Amino acid sequence: MVSLSLPRTALSLVFLWIVGALAAVDIKGRVLWNDVCANATALGRAKVVLDSGSEHAGTVTQSGRFLIPNVPVGTYILSVISHDYTFDQLRIDVLDSESSPVEVRPYIVGTPLDPPSTVLLPYPITLSAKDKFVYFSPPESFNIVGMLTNPMAMMMVFGAVMMFTTPYLMKNLDPEALEELKEQQSRVAGVQSAFASGDLKSGVSAIMSGGEPSENVSNNARTPQKSSKGSKRGKR
């Protein structure tokens, strides 16, 4: 029984292979030249593949034609692999039919294969380049407007303008306003010196009261020294 089953299995496999070979068809098509890709020289070496291309693939000739031989019945995604150009992908259905063995449909990446699209494209397949890859981006030229829109550049320009215009503004100020500005600058300088020396209490009080308590604090600091001297004289 075992000896008889082995020849039958081998015969069935051979029969299935012959049927598959008879049902297999050649996928034919052509790349049409356009403004994006003018000729085969511009296209370079390109290959048309079904799915991953590991089993069914064909090269593009100088005339733009391609042939993928012995494609069995099934559904495939046709892609053009090119170094410089992009092409649309197509859905290819190979049918066990003598009247129309190949059906071509548009395919959008990510869409399910079922149900198939109702739009049928002509066969043999025609493809054309859609866009060209750009691998080199030229450096941007100097742009004065773009430089001035930079926040850091705007701050530098504003600081330079204020540095050159402040002396002229000071000359044209009213004397009373100028005195008030000088007082404010002296108060700010006093606060900064208080913080720099580590006297946080007088610095904070100067900020809270506009600088006047710092003078009171300094006067109070001087008064005990005078009283101590007076007490020393009284003891003598």
Side-chain angles (χ1 to χ4, degrees):
M1 296 294 292
V2 176
S3 60
L4 293 176
S5 60
L6 289 176
R8 290 178 181 177
T9 304
L11 288 175
S12 61
L13 291 174
V14 172
F15 177 77
L16 291 175
W17 181 82
I18 293 174
V19 172
L22 293 175
V25 298
D26 297 339
I27 304 297
K28 302 177 182 179
R30 182 178 181 181
V31 175
L32 301 178
W33 313 124
N34 54 11
D35 295 336
V36 179
C37 183
N39 48 47
T41 303
L43 178 63
R45 297 183 61 182
K47 184 168 63 172
V48 182
V49 300
L50 296 180
D51 294 340
S52 62
S54 58
E55 296 182 2
H56 308 288
T59 58
V60 180
T61 63
Q62 290 292 324
S63 62
R65 299 183 183 276
F66 59 87
L67 174 68
I68 305 176
N70 301 327
V71 180
V73 175
T75 300
Y76 308 90
I77 301 299
L78 184 142
S79 307
V80 179
I81 300 177
S82 174
H83 182 269
D84 295 322
Y85 297 93
T86 60
F87 293 81
D88 289 335
Q89 291 184 322
L90 300 176
R91 170 181 170 150
I92 307 298
D93 291 302
V94 179
L95 308 175
D96 188 8
S97 173
E98 295 182 357
S99 59
S100 58
V102 179
E103 291 182 352
V104 184
R105 292 180 172 87
Y107 176 74
I108 300 175
V109 179
T111 58
L113 295 177
D114 292 322
S117 174
T118 57
V119 178
L120 288 176
L121 300 177
Y123 181 80
I125 302 166
T126 56
L127 294 166
S128 59
K130 296 301 179 182
D131 199 1
K132 185 176 182 179
F133 293 117
V134 178
Y135 295 102
F136 174 74
S137 298
E140 296 182 359
S141 59
F142 178 75
N143 187 359
I144 186 67
V145 177
M147 185 186 70
L148 292 177
T149 54
N150 190 336
M152 296 299 295
M154 295 175 65
M155 291 176 63
M156 292 175 62
V157 171
F158 178 75
V161 170
M162 291 299 297
M163 182 179 65
F164 286 107
T165 56
T166 299
Y168 298 99
L169 294 175
M170 296 290 290
K171 290 180 181 179
N172 296 326
L173 279 177
D174 185 66
E176 295 180 357
L178 184 60
E179 289 295 330
E180 184 178 355
L181 180 61
K182 289 181 178 180
E183 290 179 1
Q184 291 179 357
Q185 290 178 350
S186 63
R187 291 175 182 175
V188 172
V191 172
Q192 291 177 351
S193 62
F195 281 111
S197 62
D199 192 359
L200 300 178
K201 182 178 180 181
S202 60
V204 173
S205 62
I207 293 174
M208 298 298 294
S209 58
E212 294 178 358
S214 63
E215 297 178 359
N216 296 332
V217 170
S218 61
N219 293 332
N220 293 331
R222 294 173 185 175
T223 302
Q225 295 179 359
K226 293 181 181 180
S227 60
S228 62
K229 289 181 181 180
S231 61
K232 288 180 181 179
R233 289 178 184 177
K235 291 180 180 180
R236 290 179 182 177

